[in-house]
Amino acid sequence: MINFSTQLKRFPFLEAASEIAAELSFEIFIVGGFVRDLILKRDRKEIDFLVVGDGTEFAKKYAKQLGVKKVTVFKNFGTAHFQFGDYDLEFVGARKESYKKSSRKPEVVSGTFEDDIKRRDFTINTIAVFISKESFGTMIDLFGGYEDIKNKLIRTPIEPMITFDDDPLRIMRAYRFAAQLGFEVDESINEAAAKLKSRLSIVSQERITDEFLKILASPKPSVGLNLLYYAGVLEVILPELSNLAGVEQRNDYHHKDVFNHTCEVVDNISKITENVWLHFAALVHDIAKPQTKKFVEGTGWTFHGHEELGARMMKPLFKKLKLPMHKLEYVEKLVRLHLRPIALAGEEVTDSAIRRLIVSAGEDLEDLITLCRADITSKNPRKKSKYLENYERVMKKVWEVEEKDKLRAFQSPVRGEVIMKVCNLKPSKKVGEIKKAIEEAILDGKIGNNYEEAFQYLLEIKDEFLKKG
Ligand code: CTP
């Protein structure tokens, strides 16, 4: 019999739970993600308690014993929650859950320990550990979850069609756990997911997006993305992405499968950074390729303008997915600029073209180059190193020009107030236009990036601007 009492010593506050359980003659267990992560040696701050008895009563007594004042009770769900130090403690009375077809909100009816455990999502989340004094730390594993963790397998405790029908969000959770933990998914899950994918419509977009972003933040997102694609779930939650799959052949020309390429780029980026928004930018960088695809006789496939159209698709996509709008500009920028650095790799590139890149990318230039490097998925080592060298050359030029100009936080060295004074203008659109003209002159290399030359230039152009009325 497996016993976790040694590992649980790290959580001395559990002893008080044993005492209260004895006092109330309740059976208490720790269940779910905490036990799973204990076995996987993953750190975790949320602990779920399963109480055979009144979960709320237990939570209140336990909180009092620990000196915690605030206990939040969700009457409708029969759950309670409080914070103790760094830990989030959740309490639920054992229940039989019967779900309504049209909503994810279960009707709660109390049940036995087994009723509760078998209505949970995956066997890896059904392992319970006794907290009661006489058997403290003993594992109860009704569905072989321990074996499944050891074999890295995601499986449902009962028929997956029932498990997913009860709560369709679990389709997303299956693939999220697969990506996050590097586990395999049992084939029966894929079959049920394919059949029930349209039931995701009763799940709120926020919950779906939350799981999707967890897949994207995982060490190898392609695991989850491919599972979603092959079960046909991607087509429901993000058709723009599943549309990237497929290759067309004409004459001797074929283009590479954009979905596979995208998966590779996202994986490449995930090896370098944990910034999930950079992962997201990688995911959508070629999103407009299907709409811009053209076959040109003698040239082959082209995708002109896919970067600009892709950038413009971001706002509606952010709205649909309910993504945080303050990340929109960053993603748009990376999509819009993802081809720019490579266009600047030639020997004869001017300083002004480099300056434009520096100013357009601003503080996200490093992220843009990271994306560009991840975008190289050629299997030919010679080509790959040639492309990488190109980016190094661009970055070298960037550093040289930056050194010359100190451009990162670029703004006209002659500010609005000075322009207003010299031209005798009130704050207006015209002031902005004059300032922009000065900035353009600097970017074009007509004048240097310093106050004296900019001021001189202002004197030269002011009459022309004021004449225009
Ligand atoms: N659960 C479930 N179905 C869901 C969500 C959760 O059956 N749709 C069960 C699982 O047993 C899960 C437990 O409730 O372990 C707690 O849920 P939650 O905290 O959301 O998930 P965890 O498994 O703890 O994992 P994570 O914190 O990574 O989401």
Side-chain angles (χ1 to χ4, degrees):
M1 196 170 289
I2 296 178
N3 189 294
F4 293 99
S5 49
T6 315
Q7 288 99 309
L8 292 180
K9 285 211 175 83
R10 278 177 24 229
F11 312 96
F13 55 87
L14 291 177
E15 261 178 47
S18 291
E19 279 158 27
I20 309 276
E23 225 175 88
L24 293 171
S25 317
F26 286 172
E27 277 191 324
I28 309 288
F29 307 85
I30 302 181
V31 283
F34 183 80
V35 180
R36 178 194 72 223
D37 287 348
L38 195 68
I39 298 168
L40 288 168
K41 300 190 169 53
R42 291 171 97 230
D43 196 30
R44 179 190 182 87
K45 299 283 181 246
E46 296 109 59
I47 309 185
D48 291 310
F49 290 84
L50 178 61
V51 181
V52 184
D54 185 336
T56 307
E57 186 186 353
F58 177 79
K60 284 183 178 160
K61 276 217 152 164
Y62 185 25
K64 197 164 170 208
Q65 179 83 3
L66 294 175
V68 172
K69 298 225 162 50
K70 194 171 165 236
V71 180
T72 315
V73 175
F74 302 95
K75 259 210 185 118
N76 292 347
F77 290 94
T79 60
H81 160 264
F82 66 79
Q83 184 91 26
F84 178 66
D86 281 350
Y87 290 91
D88 260 331
L89 309 186
E90 288 270 346
F91 302 84
V92 55
R95 56 171 79 176
K96 248 193 243 172
E97 270 174 9
S98 54
Y99 288 76
K100 283 193 221 137
K101 274 269 171 239
S102 56
S103 116
R104 283 186 67 233
K105 308 227 163 44
E107 281 165 8
V108 181
V109 181
S110 52
T112 63
F113 170 80
E114 189 177 347
D115 288 335
D116 189 288
I117 290 293
K118 78 171 187 207
R119 293 322 279 245
R120 288 174 179 258
D121 52 2
F122 306 112
T123 59
I124 60 168
N125 293 335
T126 59
I127 310 168
V129 173
F130 258 116
I131 292 302
S132 316
K133 254 188 186 151
E134 59 289 0
S135 30
F136 187 83
T138 304
M139 175 176 89
I140 306 147
D141 181 12
L142 300 180
F143 296 98
Y146 190 82
E147 268 308 294
D148 288 344
I149 291 180
K150 294 293 161 192
N151 294 328
K152 297 176 177 273
L153 180 66
I154 297 174
R155 209 163 52 86
T156 50
I158 53 174
E159 260 295 297
M161 287 295 281
I162 300 172
T163 304
F164 289 167
D165 200 42
D166 279 351
D167 180 359
L169 180 68
R170 291 168 172 171
I171 297 173
M172 295 297 297
R173 282 172 60 92
Y175 298 139
R176 185 259 287 190
F177 283 123
Q180 208 173 40
L181 305 175
F183 280 25
E184 296 269 328
V185 168
D186 193 81
E187 200 38 45
S188 63
I189 284 189
N190 293 326
E191 285 162 18
K195 285 189 191 133
L196 292 176
K197 61 188 181 187
S198 60
R199 294 260 298 136
L200 277 165
S201 59
I202 65 157
V203 180
S204 78
Q205 185 60 53
E206 286 84 350
R207 302 294 299 267
I208 295 175
T209 295
D210 186 44
E211 295 297 335
F212 188 74
L213 288 179
K214 284 183 182 167
I215 291 175
L216 212 50
S218 68
K220 201 174 174 207
S222 65
V223 171
L225 295 172
N226 275 305
L227 287 166
L228 286 173
Y229 175 74
Y230 285 107
V233 176
L234 201 57
E235 189 182 292
V236 173
I237 59 165
L238 198 50
E240 296 84 347
L241 199 65
S242 61
N243 285 345
L244 300 183
V247 192
E248 219 174 306
Q249 175 95 27
R250 281 210 207 160
N251 310 335
D252 282 339
Y253 299 103
H254 77 284
H255 57 77
K256 58 181 161 187
D257 184 298
V258 183
F259 179 69
N260 285 340
H261 165 73
T262 296
C263 284
E264 257 187 82
V265 180
V266 176
D267 281 354
N268 286 345
I269 235 159
S270 303
K271 284 183 208 141
I272 299 166
T273 168
E274 285 182 2
N275 173 1
V276 74
W277 297 104
L278 189 44
H279 298 193
F280 190 85
L283 184 80
V284 294
H285 77 287
D286 279 343
I287 199 112
K289 274 198 166 175
Q291 292 90 316
T292 53
K293 186 170 85 173
K294 252 205 192 106
F295 185 77
V296 180
E297 218 49 68
T299 306
W301 292 101
T302 64
F303 303 91
H304 284 307
H306 75 273
E307 67 285 13
E308 182 55 37
L309 182 61
R312 278 194 256 128
M313 284 166 72
M314 286 308 108
K315 195 169 179 188
L317 192 68
F318 264 61
K319 282 197 174 149
K320 182 176 97 169
L321 297 180
K322 299 228 158 61
L323 291 168
M325 284 314 221
H326 66 275
K327 294 292 175 191
L328 173 64
E329 204 186 312
Y330 171 81
V331 174
E332 272 175 348
K333 187 197 273 184
L334 293 181
V335 174
R336 178 169 284 125
L337 296 178
H338 80 268
L339 295 179
R340 186 85 81 78
I342 200 61
L344 301 181
E347 294 297 341
E348 66 299 337
V349 164
T350 58
D351 280 7
S352 70
I354 295 284
R355 268 186 207 111
R356 282 183 188 283
L357 171 69
I358 298 171
V359 172
S360 311
E363 59 184 13
D364 303 315
L365 184 58
E366 267 94 21
D367 286 0
L368 176 64
I369 298 293
T370 304
L371 173 61
C372 291
R373 292 171 65 94
D375 199 8
I376 305 171
T377 56
S378 166
K379 297 289 167 286
N380 177 337
R382 252 200 9 255
K383 275 194 188 165
K384 193 171 167 158
S385 66
K386 193 182 102 199
Y387 295 150
L388 285 171
E389 271 168 35
N390 281 341
Y391 289 126
E392 258 160 52
R393 223 177 22 251
V394 173
M395 277 319 270
K396 198 163 157 264
K397 282 190 200 159
V398 164
W399 288 317
E400 283 166 8
V401 173
E402 266 187 331
E403 222 12 72
K404 266 196 246 165
D405 301 355
K406 300 272 181 272
L407 269 176
R408 260 326 144 95
F410 177 72
Q411 272 231 36
S412 161
V414 171
R415 311 302 297 271
E417 302 87 73
V418 177
I419 298 172
M420 286 192 277
K421 213 165 166 193
V422 169
C423 302
N424 196 18
L425 283 170
K426 291 213 161 57
S428 58
K429 223 169 111 194
K430 182 137 289 181
V431 181
E433 284 168 12
I434 296 175
K435 197 162 147 212
K436 185 109 186 95
I438 298 172
E439 287 168 358
E440 289 290 316
I442 294 170
L443 291 175
D444 285 339
K446 280 196 211 154
I447 57 171
N449 184 17
N450 60 64
Y451 186 85
E452 290 73 30
E453 286 181 61
F455 189 77
Q456 196 52 46
Y457 187 69
L458 168 64
L459 298 180
E460 280 168 30
I461 61 168
K462 84 176 177 36
D463 289 341
E464 191 190 325
F465 267 90
L466 293 175
K467 246 196 307 198
K468 273 195 258 170

